[in-house]
């Protein structure tokens, strides 16, 4: 039996599209075995913490190991299908880092802010990019909070005109 298990593991290791280390794969199999034992014994799904404790391994390592042995899925795998439309996994994923719209918005905002006076630009920078309150900004530049509010309002109106 150990020879058969070894052959099966070697086949799975050698024929998988993603290479996972033997130690990681063994940890995942130990975790799965512990999970099955706990389900049979307690008749409920164990938590990752319980599995990690049962096999005496760090929780993070168990999570990584279990993720590593998951089957790969194509981005073109259908998630939903009706007579007209099919929704794929790719349709459910969005990259918010460097979208063209965000780039254009940043460019427009930068251009609009360049039209402001230095004091207005400073106030907006402190308020919206650094999270300062109007009172904090007022203390920094030595004017009243009401003046900061007025300057901020005018600066935002100027930017709105430039962007729209």
């Amino acid at each position: 039996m150990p020879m058969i298990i070894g052959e099966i593991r070697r086949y799975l290791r050698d024929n998988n599209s993603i290479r996972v280390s033997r130690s990681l794969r063994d940890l995942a199999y130990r975790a799965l075995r512990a999970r099955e034992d706990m389900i049979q014994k307690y008749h409920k799904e164990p938590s990752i913490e319980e599995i990690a404790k049962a096999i005496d391994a760090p929780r993070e390592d168990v999570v990584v190991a279990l993720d590593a042995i998951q089957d790969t899925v194509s981005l073109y795998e259908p998630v939903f299908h009706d007579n007209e439309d099919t929704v794929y996994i790719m349709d459910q994923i969005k990259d918010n880092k460097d979208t063209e719209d965000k780039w254009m918005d940043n460019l427009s905002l930068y251009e609009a802010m360049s039209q402001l006076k230095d004091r207005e630009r400073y106030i907006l920078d402190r308020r919206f990019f650094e999270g300062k309150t109007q009172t904090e900004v007022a203390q920094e530049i030595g004017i009243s909070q009401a003046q900061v509010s007025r300057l901020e309002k005018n600066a935002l109106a100027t930017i709105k005109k430039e962007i729209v």
Side-chain angles (χ1 to χ4, degrees), residues 9 11 20-21 28 71 90 95 97 103 120 138 143 148 154:
R9 285 185 178 167
Y11 174 81
V20 177
S21 73
D71 289 334
M90 183 180 357
D95 179 10
K97 285 194 297 190
W103 181 78
E120 292 172 329
I143 61 175
V148 169
N154 290 339

Side-chain angles (χ1 to χ4, degrees), residues 2-164:
M3 189 171 141
I4 294 171
I5 291 172
E7 289 296 320
I8 291 171
R9 285 185 178 167
R10 188 179 63 200
Y11 174 81
L12 292 173
R13 184 178 57 247
D14 294 344
N15 294 305
N16 198 345
S17 59
I18 297 176
R19 300 284 182 228
V20 177
S21 73
R22 173 177 272 173
S23 61
L24 199 58
R25 192 175 293 278
D26 287 345
L27 179 61
Y29 290 139
R30 283 188 13 234
L32 290 174
R33 205 172 314 120
R35 177 182 167 267
E36 290 301 320
D37 292 345
M38 294 172 89
I39 288 173
Q40 285 182 348
K41 186 174 181 180
Y42 301 114
H43 305 292
K44 71 176 186 87
E45 184 73 32
S47 68
I48 295 293
E49 288 81 11
E50 293 169 332
I51 294 171
K53 186 176 179 182
I55 62 173
D56 194 30
R59 179 192 183 284
E60 293 78 18
D61 292 352
V62 172
V63 170
V64 169
L66 290 173
D67 283 345
I69 64 166
Q70 294 296 315
D71 289 334
T72 55
V73 179
S74 169
L75 291 175
Y76 295 99
E77 183 81 24
V79 175
F80 172 78
H81 178 71
D82 64 7
N83 292 338
E84 297 175 16
D85 292 326
T86 301
V87 177
Y88 299 100
I89 290 176
M90 183 180 357
D91 298 329
Q92 303 292 308
I93 300 172
K94 181 177 181 181
D95 179 10
N96 292 326
K97 285 194 297 190
D98 294 319
T99 62
E100 187 174 321
D101 293 338
K102 189 173 182 179
W103 181 78
M104 290 299 289
D105 290 344
N106 286 342
L107 186 61
S108 299
L109 181 60
Y110 177 77
E111 188 63 35
M113 284 189 71
S114 71
Q115 304 299 317
L116 299 175
K117 296 176 185 168
D118 289 340
R119 182 182 249 184
E120 292 172 329
R121 192 169 38 251
Y122 181 84
I123 290 171
L124 291 186
D125 181 57
R126 292 287 192 257
R127 289 276 295 127
F128 297 105
F129 295 105
E130 294 182 20
K132 302 274 184 171
T133 65
Q134 288 181 348
T135 304
E136 290 171 329
V137 174
Q139 289 171 349
E140 282 181 24
I141 58 179
I143 61 175
S144 71
Q145 178 272 326
Q147 287 175 301
V148 169
S149 178
R150 199 170 22 258
L151 288 167
E152 179 183 310
K153 184 179 177 182
N154 290 339
L156 291 173
T158 302
I159 286 177
K160 188 175 181 180
K161 287 178 198 172
E162 291 291 325
I163 291 178
V164 177

